[in-house]
Amino acid sequence: MDLKTTYLGLKLKNPLVPSASPLSRTLDSMKRLEDAGAAAIVMYSLFEEQIEHEAAELEHYLAYGSRAHAEALDYFPRPEEYNLGPEQYVELLQKAKGSLGIPLIGSLNGISTGGWIDYAKKLEQAGADAIELNIYYIPTDPALASQEVEERYINVLHAVKRAVRIPVAVKLSPYFSSLANVAARLDRAGANGLVLFNRFYQPDFDLDALEVVPNIVLSTSDAMRLPLRWVAILHGVVKTSLAGTGGIHTAEDVIKMVMAGADVAMMCSALLKHGPRHLTTVLADLNKWMVEHEYLSIEQMKGSMSQASVADPAAFERANYMKALNRYK
Ligand SMILES: Cc1cc2nc3c(=O)[nH]c(=O)nc-3n(C[C@H](O)[C@H](O)[C@H](O)COP(=O)(O)O)c2cc1C
């Protein structure tokens, strides 16, 4: 079975890539992902807040979402609560690069075009094969128009692209009025890949303490429907590589994502739940499925169920919604 794929111009042995998660916090854990069959690893994110907690530009944007400016800073973890400081992150990446045989993608997570962007260069110098730029922004200010939010994505991408020569992928939110337009603009602005989608963690309420609490719920395969649809719609429409992330747990999930048109299927929750060895199981199941269904390569499957390829392209649009509602018994 030929499982090879190309993502961000990187030749990968298969389409399984562990997405940013605590599994890349140590070299030992990254080694276990590689041994289990990962084709590349996206490291956990280095946050803008970590790099320049006090930067004036950032303070300005925190104020946007919080009303009470001074209190806004309290919502952010103090620097000592982060995993590793920026310099240690760069060191870990460099060490991992020296001992792993698979491509390593550094992850930068931020929303402004401040000095933190310099870290893109540092990750490149430390040996990163590519950068995943996670723009996790929650626009809560009613005065902020969608155009301005979109500009922010483009500006951050431009700043990072100016700083490095390695490929840059953008991990973005599904919450745009016109996602296809944003994707096309990021493509034109030089994005080498789009990672669909950022999973937005919704806060919960603690009813005893009457506090808003962050709590992460791991995904199930159901979460895959949203990225699956958009990968299928964007395949062949944008020139960038496409990565699916969210709800990919099994070999069948991987196959669906590849058929939609993804170059790689990223996994996080499944690996946190079952451990790195789960990759080996998924790879074995993937091989088995391909043999049984007479597929010879990943490339042969790629995009075969994209909107451009299916007999009924309307299945990805409003017509599908009407059908789905009417079919419910
Ligand atoms: C505990 C945890 C930590 C994560 N850390 C990061 C991160 O540092 N940067 C990032 O871009 N995504 C991060 N993610 C998001 C995942 O990479 C992934 O995109 C998301 O969980 C959806 O995929 P899944 O359904 O396979 O979990 C994290 C997810 C979890 C559950």
Side-chain angles (χ1 to χ4, degrees), residues 29 36 78 81 93-94 110 123 142 163 190 321 323:
S29 170
R78 283 184 296 280
E81 289 172 14
L93 191 148
Q94 194 164 19
L123 299 189
Y321 159 63
K323 262 190 213 158

Coordinates of all heavy atoms in Angstrom, one line a residue, residues 29 36 78 81 93-94 110 123 142 163 190 321 323:
S29 N 7.9 11.6 24.7 CA 6.6 11.4 24.1 C 6.5 11.6 22.6 O 5.9 10.8 21.9 CB 5.7 12.4 24.9 OG 4.4 12.4 24.3
A36 N 5.3 4.9 16.9 CA 4.0 4.3 16.6 C 3.6 4.6 15.1 O 2.5 4.1 14.7 CB 3.0 4.9 17.6
R78 N -0.5 33.2 34.3 CA 0.7 33.9 34.5 C 1.8 33.1 33.8 O 1.7 31.9 33.7 CB 1.0 34.0 36.0 CG 0.2 35.1 36.7 CD 0.6 35.2 38.2 NE 0.3 34.0 38.9 CZ -0.9 33.6 39.3 NH1 -2.0 34.4 39.1 NH2 -1.1 32.5 40.0
E81 N 2.8 29.7 34.7 CA 1.8 28.6 34.6 C 1.8 27.9 33.2 O 1.1 27.0 32.9 CB 0.4 29.1 34.8 CG 0.1 29.4 36.3 CD -1.2 30.2 36.6 OE1 -2.0 30.2 35.7 OE2 -1.3 30.7 37.7
L93 N 12.5 22.0 20.6 CA 12.3 21.7 19.1 C 13.6 21.3 18.5 O 13.7 20.4 17.8 CB 11.7 23.0 18.5 CG 11.2 22.9 17.0 CD1 10.1 23.8 16.8 CD2 12.3 23.0 16.0
Q94 N 14.7 22.1 18.9 CA 16.0 21.8 18.4 C 16.4 20.4 18.7 O 17.0 19.6 17.9 CB 17.0 22.8 18.9 CG 18.3 22.8 18.2 CD 19.0 24.1 18.5 OE1 18.8 24.8 19.5 NE2 20.0 24.5 17.7
G110 N -1.2 33.1 18.2 CA -1.3 34.5 18.5 C -2.2 35.2 17.6 O -2.8 34.7 16.7
L123 N 12.2 29.5 15.5 CA 11.7 28.1 15.3 C 12.4 27.6 14.0 O 12.8 26.5 13.9 CB 10.2 28.0 15.2 CG 9.4 28.4 16.4 CD1 7.9 28.0 16.3 CD2 10.0 27.8 17.7
P142 N -18.9 44.4 19.6 CA -19.9 44.6 18.6 C -19.4 45.7 17.6 O -20.0 45.8 16.5 CB -21.1 45.1 19.3 CG -20.8 45.0 20.7 CD -19.4 44.7 20.9
A163 N 8.9 36.7 7.9 CA 10.0 36.4 8.9 C 10.7 35.1 8.5 O 11.8 34.8 8.9 CB 9.5 36.3 10.3
G190 N -0.3 33.9 0.8 CA 0.9 33.1 0.9 C 0.8 31.9 1.8 O 1.9 31.2 2.1
Y321 N -29.1 20.1 3.9 CA -29.8 20.5 5.1 C -31.3 20.1 5.1 O -31.8 19.5 6.0 CB -29.5 22.0 5.4 CG -30.4 22.7 6.3 CD1 -30.5 22.4 7.7 CD2 -31.2 23.8 5.8 CE1 -31.3 23.1 8.5 CE2 -32.0 24.5 6.7 CZ -32.1 24.1 8.0 OH -32.9 24.8 8.9
K323 N -32.7 18.0 3.0 CA -32.8 16.5 2.9 C -32.7 15.9 4.3 O -33.4 15.0 4.7 CB -31.8 16.0 2.0 CG -32.2 15.7 0.6 CD -31.2 15.0 -0.1 CE -31.2 15.4 -1.6 NZ -29.9 15.1 -2.3

